[in-house]
Amino acid sequence: MGKLIKLLPIHCPKVWGYENWIASTHPDGCQKDFLAAAGDYPLLVKIIQADSPLSVQVHPDDKAAAQLEGKNARGKTECWYVLDAAPDGAIIYGLKDSYKADELQKAIKMKTLEEKLRKVSVKKGDFAFIPAGTVHAICGGVRLLEVQQNCNITYRLYDWGRPRELHIKKALQSIQHANLPPLAPMADSFACDYFSLKRITIAEDYRFLEADTSNEKEGWHLLFMVSGRGRICASGKEHKAQETIAFEGEDLFALAPKENIQIEGKCEMISITLP
């Protein structure tokens, strides 16, 4: 197995648009070459194209996932980097207040939940952190990169009149009222308990040696090419160069631990690692 893998996306059509799972070892959409190299990788990375709004939803944290879905279930904390947005692009980013479960249940029944949702405008380059337990949705006209725990549990509170199944009881048990950080353009780096991101601009060429790790499976490093074009090559600890691979915007590479890497070209890149 190579030390640098260009991962091919798994395309998932949705009623509101589509998802491309660009780094996944999850059983619901698994890249077999990534699974063979990295095992049960703790993160899942997607590109989401929302042509119309996603459901208003919530994901459980690790504790709630284990209680509601079984002891081996993971929760789902995630973050979004906006790749493109229409002039009226927006997201649902939490609730307007810390409502009690019975208040939300009544609002759902009376079809007034929309009045309690916090809708925030977004533009290209914005970043949002979505801790598990946050009520959220992506509105139409938004394309984004999503980095999340390797979990596919979604509880729908509300679906804009579409006749899909709702999961109100489990959703209400999972909601948490955390103080969300302000929505803003992405900083040079971000870290939480589950993942770390670093934004890198490459003008001509870039070289680095991957950090040491005691766990070579979980130490795999993901490189998402936001935009631009170029070529990438890994050389390994023996400095024997592999085949150089061309890349363009929205390509994603998995890089083995302790790996030397060289990138030539001009591009914007987001490095995704475990904490």
Side-chain angles (χ1 to χ4, degrees):
M1 178 57 63
K3 296 297 185 181
L4 177 70
I5 309 170
K6 185 177 183 179
L7 298 179
L8 300 179
I10 298 170
H11 185 66
C12 305
K14 303 288 185 178
V15 298
W16 41 259
Y18 65 84
E19 295 179 345
N20 284 337
W21 291 27
I22 58 175
S24 172
T25 64
H26 195 283
D28 292 345
C30 180
Q31 295 159 315
K32 293 181 180 179
D33 52 351
F34 189 33
L35 178 66
D40 178 21
Y41 196 69
L43 303 180
L44 196 163
V45 183
K46 304 174 182 176
I47 292 173
I48 298 178
Q49 174 63 44
D51 297 323
S52 59
L54 279 68
S55 61
V56 177
Q57 57 192 240
V58 65
H59 308 298
D61 62 12
D62 292 337
K63 181 178 179 181
Q67 291 173 342
L68 297 171
E69 305 296 338
K71 65 179 182 179
N72 294 322
R74 286 187 176 111
K76 183 177 173 183
T77 284
E78 60 192 352
C79 68
W80 296 338
Y81 175 73
V82 179
L83 298 170
D84 200 8
D88 60 348
I91 63 172
I92 303 302
Y93 192 45
L95 298 166
K96 292 179 179 178
D97 203 348
S98 297
Y99 302 104
K100 295 179 180 179
D102 58 346
E103 292 179 277
L104 293 174
Q105 193 161 25
K106 182 179 178 181
I108 293 166
K109 183 177 180 180
M110 301 299 293
K111 302 186 186 304
T112 59
L113 183 66
E114 291 184 41
E115 299 172 6
K116 300 184 183 302
L117 303 177
R118 182 170 171 249
K119 188 174 183 179
V120 181
S121 298
V122 296
K123 63 184 182 302
K124 183 177 180 179
D126 280 346
F127 180 83
F129 178 52
I130 315 288
T134 302
V135 174
H136 64 282
I138 306 167
C139 300
V142 176
R143 184 177 182 84
L144 54 79
L145 174 74
E146 178 176 280
V147 179
Q148 57 160 94
Q149 289 179 265
N150 188 7
C151 168
N152 199 28
I153 302 170
T154 295
Y155 300 140
R156 298 190 195 107
L157 272 172
Y158 177 72
D159 201 23
W160 314 101
R162 289 180 292 224
R164 294 193 296 173
E165 180 185 6
L166 300 179
H167 316 93
I168 295 170
K169 183 177 180 180
K170 288 183 176 181
L172 294 175
Q173 290 178 274
S174 300
I175 290 174
Q176 298 183 31
H177 298 285
N179 291 322
L180 298 173
L183 193 71
M186 184 177 177
D188 289 340
S189 62
F190 172 83
C192 69
D193 290 342
Y194 299 101
F195 44 78
S196 297
L197 279 66
K198 183 179 180 182
R199 193 162 56 92
I200 301 168
T201 300
I202 300 173
E204 293 182 4
D205 67 280
Y206 182 81
R207 297 177 178 86
F208 68 85
L209 177 67
E210 244 300 46
D212 194 3
T213 176
S214 60
N215 187 329
E216 290 211 352
K217 287 188 180 295
E218 292 200 348
W220 280 73
H221 186 150
L222 304 177
L223 302 173
F224 176 73
M225 306 305 181
V226 177
S227 61
R229 295 176 180 270
R231 301 181 72 83
I232 183 170
C233 179
S235 59
K237 288 173 281 188
E238 298 80 14
H239 303 285
K240 295 180 181 178
Q242 294 181 13
E243 179 184 1
T244 300
I245 306 173
F247 68 82
E248 57 186 20
E250 299 195 358
D251 283 342
L252 186 139
F253 294 86
L255 176 67
K258 308 179 186 178
E259 190 68 52
N260 287 293
I261 190 78
Q262 180 173 334
I263 297 172
E264 297 177 350
K266 295 182 179 181
C267 66
E268 296 287 334
M269 181 175 77
I270 294 178
S271 165
I272 304 165
T273 58
L274 298 171

